[in-house]
Amino acid sequence: MADPRGFLKVRQRETQPRRPVPVRIMDWKEVYEAQEKGVLKSQAGRCMDCGVPFCHQGCPLGNLIPEWNDLVWRDKGEEAIERLHATNNFPEFTGRLCPAPCEASCVLGINQPAVTIKQVEVSIIDQAFDNDWVQPLPPTRLTGKTVAVVGSGPAGLAVAQQLTRVGHTVAVYERDDKIGGLLRYGIPDFKMEKEQVDRRLEQMKAEGTRFRTGVAVGTDVTWEQLRRRYDAVVVATGATVPRDLPIPGRDFEGVHFAMDYLVPSNRVVAGENPENHIDARGKHVVILGGGDTGADCIGTAHRHQAASVTTLAIGKQPPAERAAHQPWPTFPTLFEVASAHEEGGERTYLASTVEFVGEDGKLTGVKVAETEFVDGRRLPKAGTERIIPADLVFLSLGFTGAEPAGITEQVSAEFDGRGNVARDGYYMTNTEGVFVAGDAGRGQSLIVWAIAEGRACAAAVDKFLMGSTILPAPVAPTDRAIAVL
């Protein structure tokens, strides 16, 4: 274990420093700076060698958190990355993007600030890449079996890497021109620079995974064609159908889904020149929805030098501390000040959007009213309407499921009532040999769940192809623990 009295001697929780706001909004570099080594070690030393480490309960991957906290405290970085990679294919993604349900489950968090688990995690993988400890792990033999993975987000990449390493020939199909899915085009660079994706892809290519970009499965090639060509097919397309808000004025020019703003903006940062790029410079921006995607829109609008940025949420402002109905070790809903919120803008809660206002087909404002609760429903309160000036509105209201993309028509795979591709307890659809992993099967979720499901689905595919498997299966598709998140 780490320092047996560390959590008693170091009571203060110190997280990674953020670059100053006036500096960071002038570029697209990552917000966080590396933490000083001595501080990092002392923070890792706060891990208290629990009899039952509940951080495991919070992490779908089953990360060996106390073990690598101890190794960081002992300055054994190479051993720490071995422990971390034993359960997590891509800690550089989770260490930057995961909301850390493990920290909400930290035993120390019962009466002290939790251990900075996420911060220790990202420091381990960054040190490993800097010291060339991340090396390809190609299979010692090939099985002769082939697998097509459709979608190159965290779930698809996890499936592909696991199956490649046990000897299957894996091809990843991606409709975009570059691999990474929302990791590349949905997440702004100020949260994760794309070098993190590119260097992991280099490892995967060296291991033998093949990548096919610019191929839209369902049109360019059919699902049935993939099924005939490969021994197994994995659907890992994500839950990318956005939730709309069909109120008066929805068709005004200036009202967009959040991803219609973020994706082209990320392409511009990458040096591309997309035709549908939306520039918020000098404009009044209103964002509907207070989640991570909304925060990404806030940070992007600040870097575009928007005239104003306002976020509207229909519900109540979350509490600053755990509510009684969300006791430890569950993941609580708390008022969060993300880096984007720190950069400015106004956040308004209990705001019901009534109508989009405009002239000559163009958006000029948003009519909102106070939210009142009637018989458990959230409704606009009469007489409280007001208009907020707006040149751009971004709908960040979540996602309703996976895109159909011809799945049902071409391979008879069914969808469930929640808009997800239906599957059994072994990640297989009702069509033999066609599997589904990640958000496409579980609905919009966390990146850590996508990787966990990708690893588990890979084990199911390997068993289907070979009769048995040595791959770990951290979670079952029927596990709905995300409900408490």
Side-chain angles (χ1 to χ4, degrees), residues 4-259:
R5 296 183 60 80
F7 69 98
L8 296 174
K9 294 187 295 185
V10 184
R11 290 180 174 270
Q12 184 176 356
R13 172 186 164 97
E14 294 189 45
T15 56
Q16 286 175 282
R18 295 172 178 171
R19 294 193 293 139
V21 170
V23 175
R24 71 187 192 225
I25 63 172
M26 300 303 293
D27 61 39
W28 297 89
K29 301 295 184 182
E30 287 187 15
V31 166
Y32 288 96
E33 298 176 332
Q35 192 166 51
E36 194 273 321
K37 186 175 181 180
V39 175
L40 182 71
K41 289 181 62 175
S42 67
Q43 290 297 302
R46 295 180 70 235
C47 189
M48 56 192 293
D49 191 33
C50 312
V52 179
F54 271 79
C55 53
H56 292 179
Q57 180 271 343
C59 179
L61 286 163
N63 279 334
L64 307 174
I65 296 166
E67 294 187 29
W68 40 257
N69 274 332
D70 171 54
L71 291 166
V72 169
W73 183 73
R74 296 177 187 277
D75 202 18
K76 296 184 176 180
E78 197 164 3
E79 292 182 37
I81 190 57
E82 289 180 3
R83 296 293 201 288
L84 185 49
H85 271 153
T87 57
N88 186 352
N89 296 69
F90 314 121
E92 66 274 24
F93 304 158
T94 53
R96 287 173 168 82
L97 305 175
C98 181
C102 54
E103 294 185 9
S105 299
C106 175
V107 175
L108 184 60
I110 295 175
N111 59 4
Q112 287 189 40
V115 175
T116 56
I117 298 170
K118 177 179 173 180
Q119 174 180 299
V120 175
E121 177 182 12
V122 77
S123 72
I124 293 171
I125 183 59
D126 285 351
Q127 182 187 26
F129 272 119
D130 291 343
N131 288 278
D132 293 327
W133 295 337
V134 181
Q135 295 295 321
L137 299 174
T140 56
R141 63 177 181 83
L142 295 178
T143 64
K145 301 292 185 179
T146 58
V147 181
V149 177
V150 183
S152 67
L157 293 180
V159 171
Q161 186 166 65
Q162 292 293 94
L163 291 175
T164 296
R165 287 177 171 178
V166 293
H168 304 309
T169 300
V170 181
V172 178
Y173 286 82
E174 170 58 56
R175 65 183 176 183
D176 284 329
D177 56 332
K178 293 182 180 179
I179 295 294
L182 292 184
L183 290 170
R184 183 175 297 279
Y185 290 127
I187 303 296
D189 282 47
F190 59 80
K191 288 179 67 174
M192 187 181 73
E193 294 177 38
K194 301 311 172 267
E195 174 194 11
Q196 308 300 333
V197 178
D198 292 335
R199 60 187 182 181
R200 184 61 74 172
L201 292 177
E202 289 303 312
Q203 181 202 34
M204 294 182 65
K205 291 175 184 176
E207 291 172 345
T209 302
R210 304 173 182 183
F211 295 100
R212 307 281 186 263
T213 57
V215 180
V217 176
T219 54
D220 296 337
V221 59
T222 68
W223 293 94
E224 180 58 31
Q225 286 174 324
L226 289 185
R227 188 171 173 234
R228 291 198 302 266
R229 180 176 176 183
Y230 294 89
D231 297 307
V233 176
V234 179
V235 182
T237 53
T240 56
V241 178
R243 181 173 285 108
D244 207 346
L245 185 62
I247 60 175
R250 172 63 181 86
D251 295 332
F252 280 135
E253 180 183 338
V255 183
H256 307 273
F257 290 117
M259 283 302 163

Side-chain angles (χ1 to χ4, degrees), residues 248-255 356-364:
R250 172 63 181 86
D251 295 332
F252 280 135
E253 180 183 338
V255 183
F356 298 120
V357 180
E359 295 179 1
D360 300 324
K362 293 186 177 181
L363 180 76
T364 60

